[in-house]
Amino acid sequence: MNTEKLLGEMRRQLHEGGLHGCLLVRDLHTGEEVGIAPDTQLPSASLVKVPLALATAERIRRGELDGATSIDVRPGRTSTPGPTGLSRFRHPVRIAIDDLLYMSTCVSDGVAADVLFDLTPPAQVTDMLREFGLHGITVRHGLGQLSDTPLERFDASQAHLALSLAIDAGTGGRGHRVPQLDTTRASSGSARAYVELLQALWTPSAIHPEVAERVRALMAHNLLRHRLAPDFSSDASTWSSKTGTLLNLRHEIGVVEHSDGQSFAIAALTESLVPASAQPGADALMAQVARALRDHLRQR
């Protein structure tokens, strides 16, 4: 199948599955790539934890932070506990910066991320991305803001109302009545920008090799593996990634490394057009489309 025919078929499948998809797959050795709307800016949700990890690890390397420094974290930093992490703790905890880095990146712990953002504010994280020559990702706020959306204000039986608002209240310029979904107010990035970040972490770049290696190791131990991982993990490959989920957004970025030496950076950023919280079919569909794009590049 030629590239245009493949992309047309993938767009059809995404549309029929109720997804607006922005994807890019790049061969990290040849630079060849294939994508669908890869330059569209979308809110990043928890994908910002990768730039945060990069900035924190770099500041540790520079000696500006000590990874062994312990910080006291009290319960109640967020009124809506997440599915995992420190927001579920009932008692104060003392935890080192190195361990906050693990919790934020590998467990997608929003409270741990916000403690790290207290040390390295969003604007500083963005500035550090620019230092490394990465210009397509902007970090504008911490993670606590993501737990204060209409979904948290409605009763669970009315979740579809919050999701309908998320789907229908956007503008043609990527603005939105929900601030967390407005790309001019929320942390944002494109599939291409996140692939550029992945390439900078996996191949020689302005990022210090020790820092890049540390962020790669964190992404390799990502515990959330329900989205793209089923299509990219095997005995002959490794999948290192980070997910992002908010209202109707379902994202994942990662790198698949094959035992034959081939490596592909993948960014799949999607908006669901279906007002439902649990959509395992959408997760499976975005993985299938990402894999089809990877297979197309691999067979060239």
Side-chain angles (χ1 to χ4, degrees):
M1 185 181 296
N2 65 42
T3 301
E4 287 307 313
K5 186 175 181 181
L6 171 68
L7 292 178
E9 175 62 18
M10 294 302 100
R11 290 189 188 97
R12 183 190 65 77
Q13 290 187 23
L14 288 168
H15 178 74
E16 291 182 353
L19 285 179
H20 170 242
C22 303
L23 297 93
L24 186 67
V25 180
R26 179 182 294 169
D27 186 321
L28 289 179
H29 296 292
T30 69
E32 289 187 285
E33 61 183 34
V34 61
I36 298 171
D39 297 305
T40 299
Q41 288 277 319
L42 287 175
S44 294
S46 286
L47 296 184
V48 296
K49 292 170 184 171
V50 178
L52 174 62
L54 170 58
T56 303
E58 173 62 15
R59 294 192 66 207
I60 291 172
R61 185 193 71 82
R62 294 177 182 179
E64 297 172 4
L65 298 174
D66 183 348
T69 299
S70 292
I71 298 176
D72 292 324
V73 183
R74 299 187 64 83
R77 284 184 65 111
T78 177
S79 60
T80 308
T84 60
L86 298 178
S87 67
R88 288 285 173 182
F89 283 29
R90 297 185 178 184
H91 305 284
V93 60
R94 175 168 290 185
I95 184 168
I97 292 174
D98 281 336
D99 296 323
L100 287 165
L101 195 52
Y102 166 79
M103 294 291 289
S104 171
T105 313
C106 303
V107 187
S108 202
D109 183 341
V111 168
D114 276 339
V115 176
L116 293 176
F117 272 128
D118 290 342
L119 300 171
T120 308
Q124 187 176 358
V125 174
T126 298
D127 288 343
M128 294 181 75
L129 288 174
R130 303 298 181 260
E131 285 182 37
F132 297 131
L134 300 166
H135 296 280
I137 298 167
T138 303
V139 184
R140 295 188 172 96
H141 55 76
L143 275 294
Q145 185 172 326
L146 301 186
S147 62
D148 184 25
T149 73
L151 188 61
E152 286 75 37
R153 300 176 192 178
F154 285 114
D155 181 84
S157 64
Q158 297 179 310
H160 65 284
L161 298 177
L163 293 168
S164 294
L165 177 64
I167 294 166
D168 297 332
T171 70
R174 308 304 301 176
H176 206 286
R177 288 172 60 190
V178 178
Q180 294 90 340
L181 298 179
D182 186 328
T183 57
T184 66
R185 291 183 284 174
S187 297
S188 62
S190 65
R192 185 179 304 282
Y194 276 104
V195 164
E196 293 288 348
L197 172 58
L198 294 172
Q199 178 154 3
L201 289 168
W202 258 262
T203 63
S205 70
I207 299 172
H208 193 281
E210 292 178 5
V211 173
E213 182 180 9
R214 182 164 192 186
V215 177
R216 292 197 304 269
L218 288 166
M219 294 180 69
H221 290 95
N222 176 26
L223 295 181
L224 302 180
R225 306 184 69 80
H226 63 291
R227 194 159 285 163
L228 300 191
D231 276 79
F232 290 103
S233 297
S234 73
D235 289 346
S237 64
T238 59
W239 174 244
S240 305
S241 65
K242 180 72 193 76
T243 59
T245 308
L246 175 68
L247 293 170
N248 65 322
L249 303 179
R250 285 169 172 77
H251 305 331
E252 186 158 357
I253 62 170
V255 171
V256 58
E257 299 172 85
H258 298 282
S259 58
D260 64 5
Q262 286 187 301
S263 298
F264 298 87
I266 299 167
L269 281 58
T270 72
E271 297 172 304
S272 175
L273 305 178
V274 179
S277 296
Q279 294 186 52
D283 293 327
L285 175 58
M286 59 188 287
Q288 290 163 12
V289 171
R291 179 166 179 168
L293 298 181
R294 189 285 313 268
D295 289 348
H296 181 70
L297 280 183
R298 199 172 189 210
Q299 294 165 4
R300 284 187 178 182

